[in-house]
Amino acid sequence: MSEKDRDDIDEQNLSSKEEKQKGRRKKSKVQDKDSQKATIVPVEQTLSNKLMLIPLSGHPIFPGVFTPLMITSTEDAKVAEEAYSSDGLIGIVMLKEDKDSPSVSDLYEVGTVARIIKKINLPDGGVNIFISTIKRFKIRKVLKNRQPMVAIVEYLDDEEDDTFEVKALTRALISEMKEISENNPLFSEEMRMNMVNIDHPGKIADFIASILNIDKEDQQRVMEMLNVRQRMEQVLVFIKKEQELLKIQKRIQTELNLRIETQQREYFLREELKAIKEELGIVTDAQNSDYQRFKDKIDSFEFEGEVKEAVDAELEKFALLDPSSSEFSTVRNYLDTIASLPWGKASQDFFDIEKAKAILEKDHYGLDDVKKRILEYLAVKKLKKDSKGSIMILVGPPGVGKTSVGRSIASAMNKPFFRFSVGGMRDEAEIKGHRRTYIGAMPGKIIQGLKIVKSRSPVFLIDEVDKLGISHQGDPASALLEVLDPEQNVSFRDNYLDLPFDVSDIFFILTANTLDTIPEPLLDRAEIIMLSGYIDQEKMEIAKKYLIPKTLQKNGMKKNQIKFEKNTLALIAESYARESGVRNFEKCIDKIARKVAMEIVSMQEVIEAEANVKKLKEEFAKEDNIENRDKAQEKQVLSEAEKKLKALLGKEYVIDVELAKKYLGTPVFDESEILKADKPGTALGLAWTSMGGDTLLIETVDIPGKEGFTLTGQLGDVMKESASIAMSWARKYAIKNNLVTNEWFDNNTIHIHLPEGATPKDGPSAGITLTTALVSLITGKVIKSALAMTGELSLTGQVLPIGGLREKTVAAKRNKIRDIIIPKANLRDLDDIPDLVKKGIKFHPVSKIEEVLDLALFNKS
């Protein structure tokens, strides 16, 4: 059945009811024709004290209003249906706070009783009812607390004061509302007429409170006021507040209109002034000067296609913009960026291979692989005249000179150098720039670097690529892929520039401490060059050639003013700076230089000599008895005093071992720091970390009790698997060779520990070391002294190859190791290790774990 049909039926039912009521009234009149005129009963007297309640979530509805009410709740729709089918009365009460399933306690106490005049069922299941509100009521007793809510109510009458004060308030309300309605288009003519035609003061206050833009809590407060005079006073206060708001709104609107008119007037005057200046041939304003500068520069680039169209459009926009507009500076900065970039062809590079080699040798000690690769690159470039696809990743521990190598490469190639770090970077806009729609937008680091170096083919060093982060702002590593891909970077598109720019002529150098955290697609685009840590002899040479001269200059001393004995440098390397790089070594030398500088300026002779020079200068500066003074003699005396001071300040210092210990304090490392496997169940392994090579001491103990296997030392998953393999092989080996019985394993818990538990450890290369430590524990034998090993173990006892042998060898030499057991497959890597590092170390290649045990435990060579 359609809504129209239902409306027709409702109208027919209503007509039928009215006909029946008319019949009953007619019959009553015939029966009572001899009686007096029938008494008319007011509607208030027919109201029931028991009401079904409907909660309101918006604003309260005051008495004397005919209004539609939309009901969406299923429970409230049922209440409306039931009320409509009976006497048509419902109680409408406002909610204190909006809730999905309210109770009577969630309602205000005072509401309005209303009669449902008409009901329309909506297609979505809701109901639209037309109600006529009758009177205020107050909830006295709750019959049903939850929906459908039912309560006993008490009807409230207005407390009227028929005084001149009420009449005055009535006139004031109507007068003030007329003023508001005249200035507010939201008040219709019908609303004004209704307000004037209301004859009851209380109802006037209710009507005004319902149409004012005030909070629902304030409207409810008016609803609960029974005293008419107080209600009218309160509504008058609300009207005054509304008038104040309207005044402020009008003032703001007036100021805004005035400002717009002023700007328009200034714009027209400025345009007229520009036209007059052009007629007279006078140079125009700075805007036109900038426009001409941009145009001349951009024309010189001879753009084509997309770039030309986009830049010309920006130039035209810049010419038309008002300098006071917010967009003016944005367009100007954009054009300035375009004009500052090296759009022209890459310049021809002129460099000498021998000169480049000399620069690299001068700046860095060692690093032969890196130097060789750079020279190879330069040789190819000299033949090919092209550097596209030139990307290099320098990987090594901190302090080995990765960043300074980048500077040397730029110097050797005679190219400008630009460096930026991406360590901790989490926003891809740092690489590709921000879109110009954002306030304060700027290009990414690539375009910024090109703008600074003003060259199409510089050397870019991107530092700490292994420490890139990821956040909700994007993935900077992914943004770098486009920059570094030779197939894509010929038309790199920065978000700010939003134009294709060829960055393929840039020679990119990336640095990292480890490859583990660098995404594979990024590694795939570059050539990896490993930089190993330095041994003590290399550190001493670096100190002599680079660190000591640099430190003396930094601390204001003459060349060779401080001399270090060879034993002193060896002490610093062994006891104070044992890390892979030379940063701590440089800090120690710098500390000694500062101590010496302090001693020099604190010497009594220096203090006296300085005071003497100062005194002589003051005396010779006096102008008394000029004719009787010998100027030449005075000058000679002052010169001799200054020479004496200079000699004292330039006194040479020789730093021996004892003096170094005095200046540097207690050694950071001593002989006790050198790891030794001098007990059964211990073995020395070699590991590779992002900080360089390291030596690991593996400890094992057996604990009587029940069978068990415990691992500690913050081991990674791969190392835990290696320990399980080692345990399985050692158990089988021990039982097979009658070293112990199977019951020994059943009655003992084996605990394996790697000290320095706060440092995470992972990797498979400790496999043979773990096995050797377990066999040492079972047999009670101590492994050969000054012996370390590295190699992955398979479950069948095969020794598999490992990586990072050079770094591990450096760590072994630092730990005074004389014998190293390595997998036979790693023999080829020995050629990459400098003779200086291998000197004094004997390498033992093995292919099976039995060979390791023979060398380490059973002294079989």
Side-chain angles (χ1 to χ4, degrees), residues 268-278:
F268 289 125
L269 289 173
R270 198 175 287 110
E271 290 299 313
E272 288 178 9
L273 180 61
K274 190 188 301 181
I276 293 168
K277 285 185 176 181
E278 288 177 357

Side-chain angles (χ1 to χ4, degrees), residues 539-551:
K539 289 181 183 179
M540 291 162 64
E541 290 298 322
I542 292 171
K544 289 177 185 176
K545 291 185 178 181
Y546 307 102
L547 303 183
I548 295 174
K550 177 183 173 183
T551 300

Side-chain angles (χ1 to χ4, degrees), residues 297-317:
K297 186 73 173 176
I298 289 168
D299 287 345
S300 68
F301 293 139
E302 299 179 353
F303 290 136
E304 296 178 353
E306 177 194 352
V307 179
K308 180 174 176 56
E309 291 177 8
V311 175
D312 287 347
E314 291 295 326
L315 267 173
E316 186 177 350
K317 185 194 294 184

Side-chain angles (χ1 to χ4, degrees), residues 255-266:
E255 291 176 356
L256 185 61
N257 291 336
L258 182 62
R259 193 179 306 165
I260 292 172
E261 290 172 2
T262 304
Q263 288 178 352
Q264 288 177 340
R265 182 170 174 273
E266 288 177 354

